[in-house]
Amino acid sequence: MHFSERLYPQARLGMLLNGIETEGNVIDLSIGEPNVPLAQDVLSQIPDGFEALTQYPKPALQFELQETIARWLSRRYKLDLQCFSAKDQITILAGSREGIFMLPIALFNHQLQHGQPITVAMPDPGYPIYLASAENVGAKVQTISQTQLSELTTSELDVYACWAEIDLMFVCSPSNPTGEVLSLLQWTRLIELAKEYQFILVADECYSEIYSEPFAPTGLLEACAKMGNSKFENCLAIHSLSKRSGLPGLRSGFIAGDTHLIKSLQSYRNYHGVSLSSIQLKGSQAAWSDEQHVLSNRQVYGRKFDEFSKQFSDLSCYQMPAGGFYIWLDVGCPAEKFCQRLYQEFAIKVLPGHYLAVSDLTVEALQQYVRIAVVCEQEDIPFIGQAIKQTMQFCCHSNSVGGHVA
């Protein structure tokens, strides 16, 4: 089924819960919309007034933002700014989704125009836009599981035999939805494979700043630099302010990496892309310049995960993620029935895990998993934890005796 005909996971959940009556205020943990204090110190740097909206954004503002991002990348991933060109190796995006969706057509437009199909590889389960971006250009889809990625450096055998077929590969670290993080060794191996088989390796690192101190996830560009690949050949990294700064409404992100690839992306985007307004550019510059609000956000998530870990201490299926703000949980019963019951009895929304699957095998394997976004209020966590455990007990018992679960 093509993405234009397939319901987005949250819309699919809406249909699943349609008609179910519930009481009280709904706690929506089905979507990754950050719930952290607004970074007032950052946003206060945006000039008052909207006069700038009467004009196209000045190129100088975009260049200033590129320079600011380059400094952030240098600090975060220990990159040598002397070998990094902000103008030539960074493209500003109206959010990471735009960049992910346009990548196949922007980078392979010539081949596609001449009827040469491409193959796009992606994590399974994963962010639905990877699949949609491939389908948009009629690409062949290959999937790679988190287990296969994890075994890249631990198995003497090749855990994935399709490297030669790949043209473009998406990898997400920290992973949405599992929270797993790729190590330096795993990144190194992927970079080596991208060079050997000449495919483009794209790292979705939008959750990179949400982690347990001091274990900051390694990034793709960081791994490139450690390998001596200072030009980031065949490699691109995508970042966003949505999760890092809790500003999804700002619609601001970027892609950084290989100069030749960035040139192609920018050329395509000059015609297709949406320019950020002056307000967005200045807000983005303020956000990338400040780390204090990022540290505060990380501490907020840390406290929430500490409380969830306390609530789920008796669940063997619970594991605190290495990064990101999702709990990936095997509830021991059909996920859709679990979600219906949890919503009906406790007005809590979570997402069935198989809604994020790509292949039929993964859809089948994830029938009992749910993704829980830790975007609730701190004081609601004891209630949420108990509600989830009670629903698990009810649904598992009902399934074991053949009873009906609403």
Side-chain angles (χ1 to χ4, degrees):
M1 183 183 296
H2 191 263
F3 75 90
S4 62
E5 302 169 317
R6 184 173 56 247
L7 285 175
Y8 201 72
Q10 276 71 33
R12 189 175 172 187
L13 177 65
M15 288 192 65
L16 177 71
L17 303 181
N18 186 41
I20 297 178
E21 295 183 2
T22 190
E23 295 182 2
N25 295 325
V26 173
I27 300 175
D28 192 350
L29 310 181
S30 69
I31 189 168
E33 184 175 61
N35 180 20
V36 290
L38 188 64
Q40 297 286 358
D41 292 342
V42 172
L43 297 183
S44 65
Q45 298 182 47
I46 301 175
D48 293 333
F50 298 95
E51 292 81 4
L53 297 181
T54 65
Q55 300 174 322
Y56 288 113
K58 298 292 187 285
L61 274 181
Q62 176 161 301
F63 181 66
E64 288 174 11
L65 177 55
Q66 289 171 306
E67 291 280 1
T68 299
I69 290 170
R71 289 191 291 271
W72 178 79
L73 285 169
S74 175
R75 293 193 304 271
R76 173 63 172 83
Y77 295 114
K78 305 175 183 64
L79 305 182
D80 183 0
L81 271 180
Q82 300 299 317
C83 303
F84 193 87
S85 170
K87 182 179 179 181
D88 298 328
Q89 292 184 283
I90 297 173
T91 290
I92 305 301
L93 300 172
S96 62
R97 178 190 296 224
E98 180 218 357
I100 291 169
F101 190 79
M102 80 171 183
L103 272 170
I105 193 169
L107 296 178
F108 296 94
N109 191 44
H110 182 77
Q111 294 95 310
L112 294 166
Q113 288 289 334
H114 288 80
Q116 300 172 16
I118 65 169
T119 297
V120 178
M122 62 195 65
D124 189 14
Y127 185 38
I129 306 303
Y130 307 141
L131 178 58
S133 72
E135 291 175 329
N136 186 51
V137 297
K140 180 181 178 182
V141 173
Q142 295 278 12
T143 62
I144 183 166
S145 69
Q146 197 67 40
T147 299
Q148 288 171 315
L149 285 175
S150 300
E151 291 177 351
L152 279 174
T153 56
T154 60
S155 174
E156 295 181 359
L157 300 175
D158 192 341
V159 297
Y160 190 74
C162 303
W163 301 111
E165 300 177 18
I166 297 173
D167 295 290
L168 173 69
M169 181 177 189
F170 290 109
V171 179
C172 186
S173 179
S175 165
N176 170 15
T178 67
E180 294 174 272
V181 169
L182 292 184
S183 67
L184 175 60
L185 284 175
Q186 289 166 319
W187 277 128
T188 300
R189 181 61 181 142
L190 283 172
I191 294 165
E192 292 172 343
L193 289 164
K195 181 178 181 180
E196 179 180 355
Y197 293 102
Q198 285 301 295
F199 62 81
I200 297 170
L201 178 61
V202 181
D204 178 353
E205 299 178 353
C206 290
Y207 295 87
S208 67
E209 305 313 289
I210 304 172
Y211 56 86
S212 297
E213 298 279 7
F215 304 108
T218 301
L220 173 59
L221 303 188
E222 178 182 11
C224 283
K226 289 181 182 293
M227 294 173 64
N229 180 8
S230 59
K231 295 183 179 180
F232 315 118
E233 293 176 4
N234 295 346
C235 295
L236 295 168
I238 299 178
H239 286 265
S240 166
L241 290 174
S242 295
K243 274 65 179 182
R244 172 191 180 269
S245 297
L247 296 171
L250 193 60
R251 307 315 303 145
S252 179
F254 70 86
I255 302 181
D258 186 313
T259 302
H260 298 293
L261 300 177
I262 292 295
K263 183 178 180 180
S264 296
L265 289 169
Q266 190 57 58
S267 296
Y268 181 80
R269 216 178 165 275
N270 285 339
Y271 289 93
H272 137 88
V274 178
S275 297
L276 271 64
S277 69
S278 299
I279 290 175
Q280 289 171 293
L281 290 169
K282 291 178 180 179
S284 301
Q285 188 175 351
W288 287 115
S289 299
D290 181 79
E291 286 298 318
Q292 185 55 51
H293 76 284
V294 183
L295 174 61
S296 299
N297 290 348
R298 202 154 47 233
Q299 292 170 342
V300 168
Y301 288 118
R303 290 191 292 270
K304 290 179 181 180
F305 272 110
D306 286 343
E307 183 61 35
F308 268 111
S309 296
K310 185 188 305 181
Q311 293 296 321
F312 292 155
S313 61
D314 54 342
L315 291 182
S316 60
C317 57
Y318 170 76
Q319 184 175 350
M320 184 171 171
F325 56 47
Y326 297 114
I327 294 173
W328 186 240
L329 194 65
D330 181 349
V331 293
C333 58
E336 289 187 327
K337 292 183 178 180
F338 173 88
C339 291
Q340 288 177 317
R341 177 76 184 187
L342 185 67
Y343 180 68
Q344 181 180 42
E345 294 298 320
F346 302 102
I348 297 172
K349 289 184 180 181
V350 300
L351 190 72
H354 64 278
Y355 286 11
L356 299 169
V358 180
S359 66
D360 291 340
L361 284 175
T362 304
V363 168
E364 185 63 30
L366 299 182
Q367 288 293 314
Q368 295 189 161
Y369 279 82
V370 298
R371 190 193 73 176
I372 304 166
V374 181
V375 294
C376 52
E377 301 294 337
Q378 178 80 26
E379 58 268 24
D380 290 333
I381 295 177
F383 167 73
I384 294 168
Q386 291 303 309
I388 288 172
K389 289 194 292 185
Q390 288 180 32
T391 304
M392 287 175 64
Q393 292 174 351
F394 177 86
C395 291
C396 291
H397 175 73
S398 297
N399 284 332
S400 66
V401 298
H404 173 67
V405 181

